[in-house]
Every structure is written in structure tokens, then in C-alpha cells.
Amino acid sequence: MKYLDEFRDGRASQSLLEKIRQRVTRPWVLMDVCGGQTHSLVRYGIERELAGQVELIHGPGCPVCVTSTELIDFAVALAMQPDTIVASFGDMIRVPGSDQSLMQARSCGGRLKIVYTPIDAIALAQRNPDSQIVFLAVGFETTTPSTALAVLQATQLGLQNFSIVPAHVRVLPAMETIMQLPENRVEGFLAAGHVCSITGYDVYESFVAKHRVPVVVTGFEPVDLLEGILQAVTLLEAGKAVIENRYSRNVQRHGNPNAQALIDRVYEIDDRDWRGFGTISGGGYRLRDEYAQMDACRKFARLLPPSARKDSECRGADVMSGKIKPKQCPAFGKTCSPESPLGAPMVSSEGACAAYYRFDPITIEARQ
Amino acid sequence: MKPVARGAACPAVPVSNETVTLSHGEGGRAMRRLIRDQIAAKLGRGNVQLHSDAACLGRITKEIAITTDSYVVSPLFFPGGDIGSLAVHGTVNDLAMAGATPCYLTLSLILEEGLPLATLGRVIDSVAEAASNCDVKIVAGDTKVVPKGAADGIFINTTGVGVHSTGQRMTASRIQPGDALLVSGPIARHGLAVLAARESLGFDPPPESDSAPLHRIAAELLETLGDDLRTMRDATRGGIAAVMHEWAEESANAMWIDESQLPLLPESRGVCELLGLDPLLVANEGTFVAAIAPHRVDDALSVMRSHSRCGQPAQIGHARARELSPVLVSRGLGADQPLDEPIAAMLPRIC
């Protein structure tokens, strides 16, 4: 645990906070792209410490939050089929669909199994030869290689009863979308460290050149985050728009070539409907045609819902694109809470609304 | 125990293949045999009074404490315990934490059709051993069998009866600002053990539950500290966080926790980090929190240390006058952070 203690060290964090305060000559607006970063920033109170100097907008980097309502509805429909078991990561099961979440579907007799890796879903398929096992393959580039591996394994094993709902999303096209929003205020990015460990950070070079914004690859512990913020404000103060790596213990310039090859072998880049953003060009992955038999969207196409109802009061999209803070949503803490979420950012432990609900002092005090 | 005769029809069937059937719950011969041979015989003499509808406990002159709890853990067996020992420890600990000496338990079983008799046997053996370790008698019981799918193997309810030796009431309303908050040992072990076993997470070695009786250490703390022991609570579901919130509400004070002082085994910390869980929210089954007068911290820690099961007791914080947040955590950076109450089930993060 040495590496964790070092990166949570209070004295090191205080010293970095001081450096950031000294460096800043005017308020800057940064976006932390990944939900894991949002969670730590709010949990450790970093955002409050930097109030007035660095505004942190929490980006759309929670794969659970951006999975479209249609795909949740599809998973619910699959779970309600006889002889079908939906295998999912735990975060997904409370995300509301149009009518039901997977958890509600289970209480109505739907079959659902929480798994921790896609490989667990393969084992489930082997143990249940008479059932169709459908794995809900969500996540950014971080989890995409492991589901690619599962698809390859299932193919090699000749499993006829295994398929996935390919719901993987890509970070860079989402950042592109945010930069093109007319109301965008983001001046610099803390790039998602774990995604970069797969993709590398050379992929951001054209983004940085095109939009003239600095991007700093950043980790998830307080010291990581503060180093990322310090580097970003240093670049902003100097007027430099470059990509820099402040998560070098995990991220290399070209990323992980083996993982990239796995993704490329099984998936191809495709447009993807992001919850709250609409269709993002190149925003996700689809299975290559040679793995079509592993694609639940093709295998069970008859169950694909036409189109989903809009989330009522939920302004999750505005939260994820940085237009408003969670607390500015009229539903926040009133009709929407982790116990009964209206939108996905309130469900996932990585969602911005849930992070505020759990850790923001003013929010917690208001609830007392 | 002697092999149980099962009637002439299937003398060759090995014991290990036999299962609970609905006829075991129908009040006839099968049920009588099940209770006599699989349950009462294992619990031993002095326990269940088989031929009476109600147990007579004799005269109890002191103030009586009573508690009840149901156990539905899955899987039934996990590293460090099983549903049988848990059903005894959990109820004994509820009495102990209230300052009572546990004396009697009842044992109600809901069995799912198809449960192997060998599994039932292991669970009852475990109940018997735990009851003996806890110095309690099992004085009454009930057995029901439900159709396959209507339960998950075995559900157990135990009701515990104890007596108050000192008359001292353990209530959180006695907590005052400045009182020290102590934890008796490494936290988060039970929740992680069950989660890892249920989901076959394959940790090596697997995390082990802290399931254990607390009546002896509780009695000694009470005797040593007297009124200076304000209250204590085993931090089961919802972990330390749930207890802190209850105490904050009952005492109208704030509970302040220093995260760096939390006793946590390295393997527990590793599992929590990997799954994105906060150890303050993870269940314990043999670890408790005590609020005590600040000048008695050393005495309390010394009692805790003298009980071998309680490795690494520690002061983890103190009570404060309430300002806004009921529970605060110092995470070593900037201002103290409020700690929210546990919400819903712990759902591990995915990336």
C-alpha cells in the first residue's frame, strides 16, 4: 500500500495546494474527464480548497452514466426473456431505463447476475448451457480490452449461448463534443489516467493543436490530482497548449499496444448514442462483422426498443457537459437521490451527482 | 454421533446424499426424527426441551434483556464462520453490547427443500459449538421446510435472553463532547469475507470474517470502566459509518473520525481499494465501537488488548459539539469531510 499512502499524503497535498494558489493569477476552468477523478476531488474536498482559483467541471467520464436509455431498456427486455440471464457489472443494475432498472426487472422475475469481469460471464455461460448469457459490455477504453478478450475466448470455446451488448464508449470524441458546445467554458483538461494507460497520450496531440487547450494526463489520488491541476494551471498561465503526462507510473506515450491490438481485432469504431449528449461521431465501438454472432443487438434484434422516453426532470446531460453543477439541477436531492435516482449520474459511484450527494458538505448539511 | 436410521426403504443411501424434503416439515415422523437426530442430538443435553411447547427458564431475578435477529447470509459457509456461528454470535453480541450477560437463545430454522442433510448437520454443529463458547443455552426452537426456491438453503432466527448485572444502561444519549471513540480491532473483515466468498473473487488468501462473541470483553469493559463506558455497539450492517450516524443522532453531538487511525488489515485495505469500497461502510461481526470518557482511553485499550481476538484496538476519533455535519472524517487533506450514511447495497465500481 506504499504507493497509496504516498499519493494520499496530507503534507504533500498541502504543499501542492499552496503552489497552485501561488501560481494562479486569475480563475481557470478545468474539466476532470473521468468519474474516478470527480469522486476523489469531491471526497477529499479539493474542489473547495481551490474555490475562486480553479473551477473544476466534472466531465462525462462515467461509462455507466452515459450508457443510453435504449440500451438499458434492451438489457431489461433481455433479462425478462425466459432462459436468458443478463450478466452485468454492479454499477449498471440501478440505472433507470424508460420504465425499469435491471434491479427492478429482477424483482419482477428477470434474471440478472452481477459479475466482476467479463470472464466471469463466460464461466456463467459454461455452467448454464441451456440459458443465453448476455453480458452488458460497458466502459471506456479501460474495460474494452477485457471484453474483447471475452469475445475471443467465447469464440474459441464455440459458445453458442454467450453474447454481449456492445456499449463501449471512447473518451476523445466526447471531449471533442464538449469543445464544440456553444456554452463551453473549459480551458484545460485533466485527461483520464486509466484510459490513457490503454490508448497512450499521443492521441491527444491533434486535439490540443486544434483547440489550443492544454491536456494533462492525471491520476486519481489527491496528490495525483493536485499535480495534474498544478501542471494544467502552469501551462495555462504560460499560454501553452500542449499534452503532458503527470501519471507516468501507469501511462506511457503510446499506451498499451497489446490491449490496443485486442480492441482492434474485435471492435471497430462506430457512432454511439450517449445518454445526455445524443449521437457522438466515433463515440463508441461496435463488434466487427466476424463476431456478429456474439452481438446481442444483432442476435436479439427483435427486442431492441424503438426509442426511449426522455428523462423527466433530470438534467444529467447538463451536469455531464459542465453546464451546471449537480446542485443546480432542480431535482437534485429532492426527487432524485441515490436511493431513487432519476438519472445515471446519481446512480454510479463515479457519477458527479452521487459524488456531490455523498461528500459535499453543504448538500449533506441541507439534508439533515 | 451415530449414523441416523432412515427407515427400511433406503438403507443403502449414504448420509451425504440425503436432503431435506417437504415431509420433514409436515409434523409427522420425518419431522420428529429430523429434529431429534439432526438438531437436538447435536445441540446436546441441557439445551432444547424436546417434549414441551415452551421452555421454562426458572426464576430470573435481575433485569431481563431480550433481542432477536434473523440470519440469511449467502453463502452459508465463508472464511472465518458460517450461518450457524453467525446466528449465535450476532444475537449474543446484541445482548453484550446492551450491557447484558447472555443466557438463553431460541433457534428457529427455515429450511429450503433439497438442502443436503449433511449441510444442515454442519450448520447445527456450528451453532452448538458457538453456543458453548458463548456460555448460552439453546432452550427452544422451531423448524419449517419451504418449497425449493422459497428460501436460500437455510434461514435462521435466534432470539436471545440475557440479564443486566449492573443495571447500567448503554445508550448513546450519554455521549458527551470530548468522549473518545474506540474500535476493538481491524474493521471491515466480515463484509469483505462474505462478498469475496459470494462472488468467488479468488483472493489468496481469502479475506476472513471477524465473526466472534463479544460478551466477555464487553463485561470486562463494563466492570473496569463503569459509568465511564458511555455506550458500545457492534458495527454490523452499514459498518462504523452507520453506528456513528446513530450515535450522532441519539446524542445530538457530532462524531469525528481520523481516517489515518482506523485499524485495517493490509489485505482488507487491498480488497477495498480494488473494489472501490469505503471500509467505514463495510460490515463487521466481532468488532465493536465504544464511546468512553477521555481519561479512560488507556484503560479501555488495555482491556481490549487483553482479549486475544481484538488485535489492533485503536482510538479512531472523538465526539464533538454538533455544528452542522453529524459525522466528520479527517482524510489528511484540508478541511474535515462529512461522512454520509450508507445508502443501498455496496456496488463495486467498474473502472
Side-chain angles (χ1 to χ4, degrees):
Chain A
M1 291 298 140
K2 181 169 169 287
Y3 73 95
L4 278 182
D5 295 328
E6 276 173 21
F7 292 98
R8 286 179 192 170
D9 183 66
R11 206 173 299 166
S13 301
Q14 289 299 350
S15 144
L16 283 163
L17 276 171
E18 209 39 56
K19 280 187 191 158
I20 294 168
R21 290 184 189 121
Q22 285 167 6
R23 191 90 19 119
V24 169
T25 60
R26 71 148 179 100
W28 295 105
V29 181
L30 299 180
M31 174 171 275
D32 51 295
V33 171
C34 175
Q37 294 170 330
T38 305
H39 191 82
S40 279
L41 286 168
V42 185
R43 182 176 203 261
Y44 289 95
I46 292 172
E47 197 172 27
R48 273 193 296 156
E49 294 287 325
L50 292 173
Q53 290 169 309
V54 180
E55 182 187 347
L56 289 154
I57 290 181
H58 309 303
C62 162
V64 170
C65 303
V66 301
T67 300
S68 71
T69 312
E70 281 84 358
L71 284 182
I72 304 289
D73 290 347
F74 181 47
V76 166
L78 286 165
M80 296 308 289
Q81 292 297 302
D83 305 325
T84 304
I85 303 173
V86 171
S88 170
F89 294 131
D91 289 48
M92 289 302 299
I93 70 168
R94 288 195 298 129
V95 179
S98 296
D99 293 315
Q100 279 188 319
S101 65
L102 279 168
M103 192 185 246
Q104 288 164 329
R106 178 164 68 183
S107 71
C108 299
R111 294 174 77 197
L112 172 66
K113 171 78 181 161
I114 294 176
V115 294
Y116 290 80
T117 79
I119 304 302
D120 292 345
I122 300 239
L124 192 65
Q126 288 174 310
R127 284 200 308 273
N128 296 277
D130 298 329
S131 294
Q132 286 292 327
I133 307 302
V134 184
F135 176 68
L136 201 45
V138 297
F140 283 97
E141 290 93 331
T142 340
T143 52
T144 314
S146 61
T147 66
L149 193 64
V151 167
L152 288 177
Q153 273 197 9
T155 308
Q156 279 156 14
L157 290 165
L159 285 179
Q160 300 295 314
N161 65 330
F162 177 85
S163 58
I164 68 167
V165 176
H168 288 296
V169 280
R170 299 174 65 236
V171 165
L172 195 49
M175 290 168 64
E176 191 72 49
T177 302
I178 284 159
M179 288 311 289
Q180 283 161 9
L181 292 172
E183 58 274 51
N184 172 54
R185 296 190 295 124
V186 177
E187 297 166 295
F189 284 92
L190 306 180
H194 289 155
V195 169
C196 292
S197 67
I198 305 291
T199 63
Y201 57 91
D202 50 352
V203 294
Y204 290 95
E205 277 162 8
S206 57
F207 177 83
V208 162
K210 178 177 168 191
H211 296 290
R212 308 284 312 142
V213 288
V215 176
V216 180
V217 180
T218 304
F220 300 84
E221 299 301 332
V223 170
D224 290 321
L225 285 158
L226 289 165
E227 282 190 349
I229 293 169
L230 176 61
Q231 189 58 29
V233 297
T234 303
L235 291 171
L236 284 165
E237 292 284 348
K240 284 187 189 165
V242 290
I243 167 82
E244 294 220 353
N245 182 13
R246 278 287 173 271
Y247 197 38
S248 56
R249 70 182 188 278
N250 269 331
V251 176
Q252 293 175 344
R253 183 177 180 77
H254 301 299
N256 179 337
N258 292 335
Q260 290 166 17
L262 258 178
I263 295 177
D264 190 50
R265 187 166 158 199
V266 174
Y267 293 106
E268 57 194 342
I269 293 171
D270 194 14
D271 298 346
R272 160 98 29 220
D273 188 19
W274 283 49
R275 190 170 190 149
F277 287 86
T279 303
I280 293 185
S281 171
Y285 291 107
R286 78 193 291 263
L287 279 170
R288 290 187 180 279
D289 286 344
E290 58 189 292
Y291 300 104
Q293 77 283 3
M294 294 286 165
D295 186 345
C297 295
R298 293 182 239 189
K299 195 170 174 178
F300 304 102
R302 69 196 156 85
L303 294 173
L304 277 170
S307 69
R309 267 209 320 272
K310 278 269 176 210
D311 296 326
S312 49
E313 269 185 289
C314 172
R315 290 189 62 193
D318 293 340
V319 169
M320 286 188 280
S321 59
K323 273 188 224 167
I324 61 167
K325 293 275 178 194
K327 285 181 281 187
Q328 292 169 287
C329 173
F332 180 82
K334 298 187 179 80
T335 50
C336 182
S337 68
E339 292 96 329
S340 65
L342 288 183
M346 189 57 102
V347 176
S348 169
S349 61
E350 317 240 314
C353 298
Y356 270 78
Y357 194 92
R358 289 182 63 194
F359 296 121
D360 181 66
I362 297 156
T363 302
I364 293 180
E365 280 150 16
R367 292 208 311 272
Q368 295 302 321
Chain B
M1 196 188 114
K2 282 196 299 186
V4 180
R6 314 234 167 234
C10 53
V13 176
V15 171
S16 60
N17 284 348
E18 291 212 31
T19 58
V20 171
T21 63
L22 287 175
S23 65
H24 283 121
E26 282 167 1
R29 181 187 295 170
M31 178 168 144
R32 198 160 48 82
R33 282 193 178 157
L34 181 82
I35 293 171
R36 187 189 66 196
D37 301 334
Q38 295 291 328
I39 301 172
K42 286 170 180 287
L43 294 177
R45 273 177 194 282
N47 279 312
V48 181
Q49 298 168 16
L50 264 188
H51 305 294
S52 170
D53 273 349
C56 289
L57 304 182
R59 273 177 80 88
I60 300 175
T61 51
K62 292 173 180 163
E63 191 175 6
I64 296 170
I66 185 163
T67 186
T68 191
D69 212 338
S70 297
Y71 301 85
V72 295
V73 65
S74 165
L76 299 175
F77 303 90
F78 47 84
D82 56 68
I83 192 171
S85 55
L86 195 64
V88 174
H89 295 157
T91 299
V92 161
N93 291 349
D94 284 348
L95 290 170
M97 292 294 109
T101 306
C103 303
Y104 304 108
L105 290 186
T106 66
L107 177 72
S108 283
L109 304 170
I110 294 175
L111 309 178
E112 184 189 14
E113 181 187 21
L115 177 80
L117 284 181
T119 304
L120 175 63
R122 276 177 72 192
V123 170
I124 301 299
D125 282 339
S126 175
V127 168
E129 189 184 337
S132 161
N133 286 341
C134 294
D135 312 314
V136 291
K137 285 196 166 78
I138 292 165
V139 290
D142 180 52
T143 306
K144 296 278 189 302
V145 181
V146 295
K148 183 102 187 149
D152 188 8
I154 305 181
F155 295 156
I156 301 181
N157 172 276
T158 52
T159 295
V161 175
V163 293
H164 274 286
S165 311
T166 62
Q168 185 181 331
R169 293 293 174 89
M170 295 283 134
T171 79
S173 59
R174 299 175 65 237
I175 298 175
Q176 298 160 22
D179 282 350
L181 302 170
L182 271 57
V183 66
S184 65
I187 64 167
R189 294 169 61 198
H190 179 72
L192 296 179
V194 172
L195 181 70
R198 179 187 300 159
E199 306 296 344
S200 309
L201 296 183
F203 294 109
D204 186 21
E208 199 168 286
S209 169
D210 61 339
S211 177
L214 295 169
H215 60 300
R216 292 193 187 96
I217 183 173
E220 195 179 333
L221 265 185
L222 195 54
E223 194 186 320
T224 308
L225 301 178
D227 262 358
D228 291 333
L229 174 59
R230 313 288 193 215
T231 191
M232 43 189 174
R233 182 77 60 81
D234 51 343
T236 53
R237 279 175 303 173
I240 306 277
V243 177
M244 293 297 107
H245 272 273
E246 282 177 36
W247 286 3
E249 189 173 322
E250 276 176 59
S251 70
N253 288 309
M255 303 294 137
W256 178 85
I257 296 172
D258 181 350
E259 192 177 53
S260 69
Q261 297 305 307
L262 292 173
L264 191 60
L265 298 176
E267 54 268 37
S268 307
R269 187 170 175 206
V271 176
C272 282
E273 291 294 341
L274 198 62
L275 298 177
L277 303 173
D278 186 341
L280 282 169
L281 273 65
V282 180
N284 308 274
E285 279 294 345
T287 303
F288 66 101
V289 205
I292 57 160
H295 66 284
R296 304 300 300 275
V297 168
D298 289 342
D299 297 332
L301 287 175
S302 135
V303 170
M304 288 178 175
R305 274 190 210 104
S306 72
H307 287 260
S308 59
R309 281 186 177 277
C310 297
Q312 296 181 35
Q315 180 176 357
I316 59 167
H318 57 257
R320 284 181 177 178
R322 174 85 160 261
E323 287 179 4
L324 286 166
S325 296
V327 184
L328 290 160
V329 183
S330 165
R331 301 197 198 270
L333 171 67
D336 297 331
Q337 292 289 305
L339 179 72
D340 200 12
E341 279 187 279
I343 300 165
M346 296 179 298
L347 299 176
R349 67 177 177 212
I350 62 169
C351 73

